[in-house]
Amino acid sequence: MAPVPPGIRLLASFNREQWYRALTFILTFLLYTSFHLSRKPISIVKSELHKNCSSLKTHTHNENSNAFSTWDKSNYKQLLGAMDYSFLCAYAVGMYLSGIIGERLPIRLYLTAGMLSSGLFTCLFGLGYIYNIHSLSFYVLVQVANGLVQTTGWPSVVTCIGNWFGKGRRGLIMGLWNSHTSVGNILGSLIAGYYVSSNWGLSFIVPGLIIAAMGLVCYLFLIEREYDVLADHWRNYRLSSKHTSFNPSAISFMGALRIPGVIEFSLCLLFAKLVSYTFLFWLPLYITKAANLDAKTAGDLSTLFDVGGIVGGVLAGVISDKLGKRASTCAVMLLLAAPTLYGFSMISGLGLRPIVGMLLLCGALVNGPYALITTAVAADLGTHKSLKGNARALSTVTAIIDGTGSVGAALGPLLAGLLSAGGWNQVFYMLMASDFIALLVSWSRGARICSRSTGRFGQRFLNLHTS
């Protein structure tokens, strides 16, 4: 009898539960990759929209349309910022509701519906080019609708991954898992960049079809919690005993806010995400202007920020696992990010090599705290000991933290559009100020934890020596 190949022996060594963990990890990674892949094209297409402003203005004037007729070289940044703002503002508002709804509906169905809807609205934006639609209100409405349906994504996938993975090495696992954000941004940039110069409508239609297809994959394969699949029939499954013994009700919004750390980390994420999303939506255009590059090259180069973000997210998770201090890890990375942002603004016109290095470093330091808060910190707080085992708070807590962060994500690109009219230096000053405020909030959270720990130690010391 021939020996069993070593690879097969390795696969057979994993039990059923480990296979489902791996499936959930990979599937949720791919699902949220498609979300970010569909958000990225707008930042790549901006430079092409700017080039077409004059022709759009003439075209709409002839048709007596109220669309891009207000576009000109003096205010195009503000109008592009308004399109960003319409998406992000809808996303921020919808996120607070999405977590509450997600706790009360089957996650698989909720996420599938959101992904199919997002695919539809992303394609509609691209069809505006193909069908020669020159109404600004059309694009804004599509962005608002897309922002609302995309809120189904983050609370759902974080809840799934939090249900399957405990606190042991959560920082490392979620640091690796959270790289889907950067992978999605990179793929979105490459896909949009491929079509941007020839047919920017396809820069939206292709990502839209991808996220819709992944929605179908979600419907077919996503497992929300740890299920025991019956060996005799794959269609039948039951909850394991540890889930059937306790089925608490979903937590209220105010109850989630009372969990220690939710408010502080939400505010910290507001300013951290402001910086990250300003880069997400404006970096390609900034590189185009600062380094005199074409739209495709600038889009490809901007992916280095996301490559650095992958490294930063993993590094933040590993360090916080070893130290057991999420807030302190965030504070140190935010402290280093501020001077790095200033350095990037200074060397942007010095050639490609300095830009490459600074983009990687900025991505790591800016996205590291952002990734840590939205994943490991949110999962920790959603399963906080004060909840006494109620795991149904995870989606609501995640939505509160990311929803508050999304307020910053909405403000950042809008402020960038307004401030860039006076020069890009003002944008970078705004980013550094936001980074510093995030640092203060995270530091205050760490100081409060240290104070409580020191107080408990001091009380034990006093009791020991007075007894």
PDB file of all heavy atoms in Angstrom, residues 208-234:
ATOM      1  N   GLY A 208     -18.299  46.641  -9.125  1.00  0.00           N
ATOM      2  CA  GLY A 208     -19.684  46.397  -8.749  1.00  0.00           C
ATOM      3  C   GLY A 208     -20.104  44.958  -9.008  1.00  0.00           C
ATOM      4  O   GLY A 208     -20.794  44.332  -8.182  1.00  0.00           O
ATOM      5  N   LEU A 209     -19.692  44.414 -10.129  1.00  0.00           N
ATOM      6  CA  LEU A 209     -20.008  43.019 -10.435  1.00  0.00           C
ATOM      7  C   LEU A 209     -19.282  42.066  -9.481  1.00  0.00           C
ATOM      8  O   LEU A 209     -19.838  41.029  -9.091  1.00  0.00           O
ATOM      9  CB  LEU A 209     -19.609  42.702 -11.882  1.00  0.00           C
ATOM     10  CG  LEU A 209     -20.414  43.432 -12.971  1.00  0.00           C
ATOM     11  CD1 LEU A 209     -19.845  43.109 -14.352  1.00  0.00           C
ATOM     12  CD2 LEU A 209     -21.893  43.047 -12.899  1.00  0.00           C
ATOM     13  N   ILE A 210     -18.078  42.443  -9.081  1.00  0.00           N
ATOM     14  CA  ILE A 210     -17.315  41.591  -8.157  1.00  0.00           C
ATOM     15  C   ILE A 210     -17.997  41.510  -6.798  1.00  0.00           C
ATOM     16  O   ILE A 210     -18.158  40.423  -6.227  1.00  0.00           O
ATOM     17  CB  ILE A 210     -15.874  42.109  -8.018  1.00  0.00           C
ATOM     18  CG1 ILE A 210     -15.106  41.887  -9.322  1.00  0.00           C
ATOM     19  CG2 ILE A 210     -15.151  41.404  -6.861  1.00  0.00           C
ATOM     20  CD1 ILE A 210     -13.717  42.503  -9.344  1.00  0.00           C
ATOM     21  N   ILE A 211     -18.416  42.665  -6.230  1.00  0.00           N
ATOM     22  CA  ILE A 211     -19.033  42.627  -4.908  1.00  0.00           C
ATOM     23  C   ILE A 211     -20.394  41.922  -4.961  1.00  0.00           C
ATOM     24  O   ILE A 211     -20.784  41.228  -4.012  1.00  0.00           O
ATOM     25  CB  ILE A 211     -19.161  44.053  -4.302  1.00  0.00           C
ATOM     26  CG1 ILE A 211     -19.579  43.953  -2.829  1.00  0.00           C
ATOM     27  CG2 ILE A 211     -20.140  44.910  -5.073  1.00  0.00           C
ATOM     28  CD1 ILE A 211     -19.560  45.283  -2.103  1.00  0.00           C
ATOM     29  N   ALA A 212     -21.114  42.058  -6.067  1.00  0.00           N
ATOM     30  CA  ALA A 212     -22.382  41.342  -6.204  1.00  0.00           C
ATOM     31  C   ALA A 212     -22.148  39.834  -6.252  1.00  0.00           C
ATOM     32  O   ALA A 212     -22.886  39.052  -5.627  1.00  0.00           O
ATOM     33  CB  ALA A 212     -23.112  41.810  -7.457  1.00  0.00           C
ATOM     34  N   ALA A 213     -21.118  39.411  -6.984  1.00  0.00           N
ATOM     35  CA  ALA A 213     -20.791  37.980  -7.052  1.00  0.00           C
ATOM     36  C   ALA A 213     -20.385  37.445  -5.684  1.00  0.00           C
ATOM     37  O   ALA A 213     -20.775  36.336  -5.292  1.00  0.00           O
ATOM     38  CB  ALA A 213     -19.667  37.754  -8.067  1.00  0.00           C
ATOM     39  N   MET A 214     -19.630  38.238  -4.926  1.00  0.00           N
ATOM     40  CA  MET A 214     -19.242  37.819  -3.581  1.00  0.00           C
ATOM     41  C   MET A 214     -20.441  37.766  -2.651  1.00  0.00           C
ATOM     42  O   MET A 214     -20.451  36.997  -1.676  1.00  0.00           O
ATOM     43  CB  MET A 214     -18.180  38.766  -3.035  1.00  0.00           C
ATOM     44  CG  MET A 214     -16.826  38.664  -3.709  1.00  0.00           C
ATOM     45  SD  MET A 214     -16.157  36.976  -3.713  1.00  0.00           S
ATOM     46  CE  MET A 214     -16.057  36.628  -1.956  1.00  0.00           C
ATOM     47  N   GLY A 215     -21.470  38.563  -2.932  1.00  0.00           N
ATOM     48  CA  GLY A 215     -22.694  38.467  -2.151  1.00  0.00           C
ATOM     49  C   GLY A 215     -23.348  37.100  -2.308  1.00  0.00           C
ATOM     50  O   GLY A 215     -23.867  36.529  -1.343  1.00  0.00           O
ATOM     51  N   LEU A 216     -23.325  36.561  -3.515  1.00  0.00           N
ATOM     52  CA  LEU A 216     -23.856  35.222  -3.752  1.00  0.00           C
ATOM     53  C   LEU A 216     -23.016  34.166  -3.037  1.00  0.00           C
ATOM     54  O   LEU A 216     -23.557  33.206  -2.478  1.00  0.00           O
ATOM     55  CB  LEU A 216     -23.898  34.935  -5.256  1.00  0.00           C
ATOM     56  CG  LEU A 216     -24.831  35.825  -6.076  1.00  0.00           C
ATOM     57  CD1 LEU A 216     -24.712  35.472  -7.561  1.00  0.00           C
ATOM     58  CD2 LEU A 216     -26.282  35.673  -5.610  1.00  0.00           C
ATOM     59  N   VAL A 217     -21.704  34.350  -3.037  1.00  0.00           N
ATOM     60  CA  VAL A 217     -20.816  33.436  -2.309  1.00  0.00           C
ATOM     61  C   VAL A 217     -21.132  33.478  -0.818  1.00  0.00           C
ATOM     62  O   VAL A 217     -21.157  32.443  -0.132  1.00  0.00           O
ATOM     63  CB  VAL A 217     -19.340  33.809  -2.566  1.00  0.00           C
ATOM     64  CG1 VAL A 217     -18.412  32.986  -1.680  1.00  0.00           C
ATOM     65  CG2 VAL A 217     -18.988  33.605  -4.032  1.00  0.00           C
ATOM     66  N   CYS A 218     -21.383  34.683  -0.293  1.00  0.00           N
ATOM     67  CA  CYS A 218     -21.760  34.841   1.108  1.00  0.00           C
ATOM     68  C   CYS A 218     -23.023  34.042   1.425  1.00  0.00           C
ATOM     69  O   CYS A 218     -23.099  33.335   2.431  1.00  0.00           O
ATOM     70  CB  CYS A 218     -21.965  36.315   1.424  1.00  0.00           C
ATOM     71  SG  CYS A 218     -22.665  36.661   3.052  1.00  0.00           S
ATOM     72  N   TYR A 219     -24.021  34.145   0.577  1.00  0.00           N
ATOM     73  CA  TYR A 219     -25.289  33.433   0.782  1.00  0.00           C
ATOM     74  C   TYR A 219     -25.081  31.916   0.814  1.00  0.00           C
ATOM     75  O   TYR A 219     -25.716  31.203   1.594  1.00  0.00           O
ATOM     76  CB  TYR A 219     -26.275  33.808  -0.325  1.00  0.00           C
ATOM     77  CG  TYR A 219     -27.582  33.057  -0.237  1.00  0.00           C
ATOM     78  CD1 TYR A 219     -28.560  33.445   0.667  1.00  0.00           C
ATOM     79  CD2 TYR A 219     -27.813  31.958  -1.063  1.00  0.00           C
ATOM     80  CE1 TYR A 219     -29.755  32.740   0.762  1.00  0.00           C
ATOM     81  CE2 TYR A 219     -29.006  31.246  -0.980  1.00  0.00           C
ATOM     82  CZ  TYR A 219     -29.968  31.645  -0.065  1.00  0.00           C
ATOM     83  OH  TYR A 219     -31.149  30.949   0.032  1.00  0.00           O
ATOM     84  N   LEU A 220     -24.170  31.429   0.000  1.00  0.00           N
ATOM     85  CA  LEU A 220     -23.968  29.991  -0.132  1.00  0.00           C
ATOM     86  C   LEU A 220     -23.105  29.389   0.975  1.00  0.00           C
ATOM     87  O   LEU A 220     -23.294  28.227   1.345  1.00  0.00           O
ATOM     88  CB  LEU A 220     -23.333  29.680  -1.493  1.00  0.00           C
ATOM     89  CG  LEU A 220     -24.204  29.954  -2.726  1.00  0.00           C
ATOM     90  CD1 LEU A 220     -23.380  29.787  -3.994  1.00  0.00           C
ATOM     91  CD2 LEU A 220     -25.425  29.060  -2.732  1.00  0.00           C
ATOM     92  N   PHE A 221     -22.170  30.177   1.553  1.00  0.00           N
ATOM     93  CA  PHE A 221     -21.146  29.555   2.391  1.00  0.00           C
ATOM     94  C   PHE A 221     -20.956  30.149   3.794  1.00  0.00           C
ATOM     95  O   PHE A 221     -20.332  29.498   4.625  1.00  0.00           O
ATOM     96  CB  PHE A 221     -19.784  29.611   1.675  1.00  0.00           C
ATOM     97  CG  PHE A 221     -19.733  28.807   0.413  1.00  0.00           C
ATOM     98  CD1 PHE A 221     -19.777  29.429  -0.828  1.00  0.00           C
ATOM     99  CD2 PHE A 221     -19.648  27.424   0.450  1.00  0.00           C
ATOM    100  CE1 PHE A 221     -19.729  28.697  -1.999  1.00  0.00           C
ATOM    101  CE2 PHE A 221     -19.607  26.681  -0.714  1.00  0.00           C
ATOM    102  CZ  PHE A 221     -19.642  27.321  -1.947  1.00  0.00           C
ATOM    103  N   LEU A 222     -21.435  31.345   4.073  1.00  0.00           N
ATOM    104  CA  LEU A 222     -21.110  31.970   5.353  1.00  0.00           C
ATOM    105  C   LEU A 222     -21.801  31.269   6.526  1.00  0.00           C
ATOM    106  O   LEU A 222     -23.011  31.030   6.503  1.00  0.00           O
ATOM    107  CB  LEU A 222     -21.519  33.450   5.343  1.00  0.00           C
ATOM    108  CG  LEU A 222     -21.148  34.229   6.615  1.00  0.00           C
ATOM    109  CD1 LEU A 222     -19.634  34.328   6.761  1.00  0.00           C
ATOM    110  CD2 LEU A 222     -21.774  35.610   6.615  1.00  0.00           C
ATOM    111  N   ILE A 223     -21.028  30.939   7.560  1.00  0.00           N
ATOM    112  CA  ILE A 223     -21.537  30.354   8.802  1.00  0.00           C
ATOM    113  C   ILE A 223     -21.342  31.388   9.908  1.00  0.00           C
ATOM    114  O   ILE A 223     -20.218  31.791  10.195  1.00  0.00           O
ATOM    115  CB  ILE A 223     -20.807  29.048   9.157  1.00  0.00           C
ATOM    116  CG1 ILE A 223     -20.847  28.074   7.981  1.00  0.00           C
ATOM    117  CG2 ILE A 223     -21.417  28.412  10.396  1.00  0.00           C
ATOM    118  CD1 ILE A 223     -20.008  26.829   8.196  1.00  0.00           C
ATOM    119  N   GLU A 224     -22.426  31.800  10.542  1.00  0.00           N
ATOM    120  CA  GLU A 224     -22.357  32.913  11.485  1.00  0.00           C
ATOM    121  C   GLU A 224     -21.646  32.553  12.776  1.00  0.00           C
ATOM    122  O   GLU A 224     -20.857  33.330  13.305  1.00  0.00           O
ATOM    123  CB  GLU A 224     -23.771  33.405  11.815  1.00  0.00           C
ATOM    124  CG  GLU A 224     -24.541  33.882  10.604  1.00  0.00           C
ATOM    125  CD  GLU A 224     -25.971  34.239  10.948  1.00  0.00           C
ATOM    126  OE1 GLU A 224     -26.251  34.468  12.149  1.00  0.00           O
ATOM    127  OE2 GLU A 224     -26.807  34.295  10.036  1.00  0.00           O
ATOM    128  N   ARG A 225     -21.946  31.376  13.310  1.00  0.00           N
ATOM    129  CA  ARG A 225     -21.365  30.946  14.577  1.00  0.00           C
ATOM    130  C   ARG A 225     -20.855  29.523  14.443  1.00  0.00           C
ATOM    131  O   ARG A 225     -20.947  28.919  13.380  1.00  0.00           O
ATOM    132  CB  ARG A 225     -22.406  31.031  15.699  1.00  0.00           C
ATOM    133  CG  ARG A 225     -22.902  32.439  15.970  1.00  0.00           C
ATOM    134  CD  ARG A 225     -23.965  32.436  17.083  1.00  0.00           C
ATOM    135  NE  ARG A 225     -24.433  33.797  17.330  1.00  0.00           N
ATOM    136  CZ  ARG A 225     -25.425  34.379  16.666  1.00  0.00           C
ATOM    137  NH1 ARG A 225     -26.044  33.707  15.711  1.00  0.00           N
ATOM    138  NH2 ARG A 225     -25.796  35.610  16.942  1.00  0.00           N
ATOM    139  N   GLU A 226     -20.333  28.974  15.512  1.00  0.00           N
ATOM    140  CA  GLU A 226     -19.782  27.625  15.488  1.00  0.00           C
ATOM    141  C   GLU A 226     -20.914  26.592  15.453  1.00  0.00           C
ATOM    142  O   GLU A 226     -21.578  26.349  16.445  1.00  0.00           O
ATOM    143  CB  GLU A 226     -18.893  27.399  16.709  1.00  0.00           C
ATOM    144  CG  GLU A 226     -17.650  28.275  16.731  1.00  0.00           C
ATOM    145  CD  GLU A 226     -16.773  27.961  17.923  1.00  0.00           C
ATOM    146  OE1 GLU A 226     -16.475  26.772  18.133  1.00  0.00           O
ATOM    147  OE2 GLU A 226     -16.399  28.891  18.631  1.00  0.00           O
ATOM    148  N   TYR A 227     -21.099  26.019  14.316  1.00  0.00           N
ATOM    149  CA  TYR A 227     -22.126  24.993  14.142  1.00  0.00           C
ATOM    150  C   TYR A 227     -21.477  23.609  14.041  1.00  0.00           C
ATOM    151  O   TYR A 227     -20.379  23.469  13.503  1.00  0.00           O
ATOM    152  CB  TYR A 227     -22.936  25.241  12.876  1.00  0.00           C
ATOM    153  CG  TYR A 227     -23.893  26.391  12.969  1.00  0.00           C
ATOM    154  CD1 TYR A 227     -23.565  27.638  12.437  1.00  0.00           C
ATOM    155  CD2 TYR A 227     -25.122  26.240  13.594  1.00  0.00           C
ATOM    156  CE1 TYR A 227     -24.445  28.699  12.526  1.00  0.00           C
ATOM    157  CE2 TYR A 227     -26.007  27.289  13.682  1.00  0.00           C
ATOM    158  CZ  TYR A 227     -25.671  28.512  13.146  1.00  0.00           C
ATOM    159  OH  TYR A 227     -26.543  29.555  13.235  1.00  0.00           O
ATOM    160  N   ASP A 228     -22.187  22.603  14.556  1.00  0.00           N
ATOM    161  CA  ASP A 228     -21.816  21.209  14.322  1.00  0.00           C
ATOM    162  C   ASP A 228     -22.601  20.710  13.125  1.00  0.00           C
ATOM    163  O   ASP A 228     -23.830  20.630  13.179  1.00  0.00           O
ATOM    164  CB  ASP A 228     -22.127  20.335  15.540  1.00  0.00           C
ATOM    165  CG  ASP A 228     -21.198  20.610  16.695  1.00  0.00           C
ATOM    166  OD1 ASP A 228     -20.051  21.028  16.428  1.00  0.00           O
ATOM    167  OD2 ASP A 228     -21.621  20.411  17.840  1.00  0.00           O
ATOM    168  N   VAL A 229     -21.906  20.426  12.036  1.00  0.00           N
ATOM    169  CA  VAL A 229     -22.576  19.911  10.843  1.00  0.00           C
ATOM    170  C   VAL A 229     -22.767  18.404  11.002  1.00  0.00           C
ATOM    171  O   VAL A 229     -21.822  17.676  11.262  1.00  0.00           O
ATOM    172  CB  VAL A 229     -21.763  20.219   9.577  1.00  0.00           C
ATOM    173  CG1 VAL A 229     -22.483  19.695   8.353  1.00  0.00           C
ATOM    174  CG2 VAL A 229     -21.529  21.709   9.454  1.00  0.00           C
ATOM    175  N   LEU A 230     -23.989  17.964  10.899  1.00  0.00           N
ATOM    176  CA  LEU A 230     -24.274  16.537  11.063  1.00  0.00           C
ATOM    177  C   LEU A 230     -23.588  15.721   9.968  1.00  0.00           C
ATOM    178  O   LEU A 230     -23.630  16.063   8.794  1.00  0.00           O
ATOM    179  CB  LEU A 230     -25.780  16.301  11.020  1.00  0.00           C
ATOM    180  CG  LEU A 230     -26.585  17.007  12.124  1.00  0.00           C
ATOM    181  CD1 LEU A 230     -28.064  16.706  11.953  1.00  0.00           C
ATOM    182  CD2 LEU A 230     -26.113  16.595  13.488  1.00  0.00           C
ATOM    183  N   ALA A 231     -22.952  14.635  10.386  1.00  0.00           N
ATOM    184  CA  ALA A 231     -22.153  13.848   9.452  1.00  0.00           C
ATOM    185  C   ALA A 231     -23.006  13.181   8.375  1.00  0.00           C
ATOM    186  O   ALA A 231     -22.557  12.984   7.249  1.00  0.00           O
ATOM    187  CB  ALA A 231     -21.373  12.786  10.222  1.00  0.00           C
ATOM    188  N   ASP A 232     -24.241  12.831   8.710  1.00  0.00           N
ATOM    189  CA  ASP A 232     -25.033  12.078   7.730  1.00  0.00           C
ATOM    190  C   ASP A 232     -25.753  12.952   6.727  1.00  0.00           C
ATOM    191  O   ASP A 232     -26.295  12.449   5.751  1.00  0.00           O
ATOM    192  CB  ASP A 232     -26.066  11.208   8.462  1.00  0.00           C
ATOM    193  CG  ASP A 232     -26.995  12.044   9.329  1.00  0.00           C
ATOM    194  OD1 ASP A 232     -26.632  13.194   9.644  1.00  0.00           O
ATOM    195  OD2 ASP A 232     -28.075  11.541   9.704  1.00  0.00           O
ATOM    196  N   HIS A 233     -25.801  14.276   6.964  1.00  0.00           N
ATOM    197  CA  HIS A 233     -26.536  15.122   6.028  1.00  0.00           C
ATOM    198  C   HIS A 233     -26.021  16.549   6.134  1.00  0.00           C
ATOM    199  O   HIS A 233     -26.177  17.185   7.157  1.00  0.00           O
ATOM    200  CB  HIS A 233     -28.033  15.080   6.335  1.00  0.00           C
ATOM    201  CG  HIS A 233     -28.871  15.356   5.117  1.00  0.00           C
ATOM    202  ND1 HIS A 233     -28.866  16.558   4.440  1.00  0.00           N
ATOM    203  CD2 HIS A 233     -29.738  14.548   4.447  1.00  0.00           C
ATOM    204  CE1 HIS A 233     -29.696  16.498   3.419  1.00  0.00           C
ATOM    205  NE2 HIS A 233     -30.242  15.294   3.393  1.00  0.00           N
ATOM    206  N   TRP A 234     -25.405  17.076   5.078  1.00  0.00           N
ATOM    207  CA  TRP A 234     -24.782  18.393   5.119  1.00  0.00           C
ATOM    208  C   TRP A 234     -25.810  19.508   5.216  1.00  0.00           C
ATOM    209  O   TRP A 234     -25.474  20.628   5.588  1.00  0.00           O
ATOM    210  CB  TRP A 234     -23.920  18.602   3.869  1.00  0.00           C
ATOM    211  CG  TRP A 234     -22.600  17.923   3.993  1.00  0.00           C
ATOM    212  CD1 TRP A 234     -22.309  16.647   3.680  1.00  0.00           C
ATOM    213  CD2 TRP A 234     -21.393  18.502   4.489  1.00  0.00           C
ATOM    214  NE1 TRP A 234     -21.004  16.369   3.947  1.00  0.00           N
ATOM    215  CE2 TRP A 234     -20.409  17.499   4.437  1.00  0.00           C
ATOM    216  CE3 TRP A 234     -21.041  19.772   4.965  1.00  0.00           C
ATOM    217  CZ2 TRP A 234     -19.110  17.710   4.850  1.00  0.00           C
ATOM    218  CZ3 TRP A 234     -19.739  19.984   5.371  1.00  0.00           C
ATOM    219  CH2 TRP A 234     -18.793  18.971   5.316  1.00  0.00           C
TER     220      TRP A 234
END
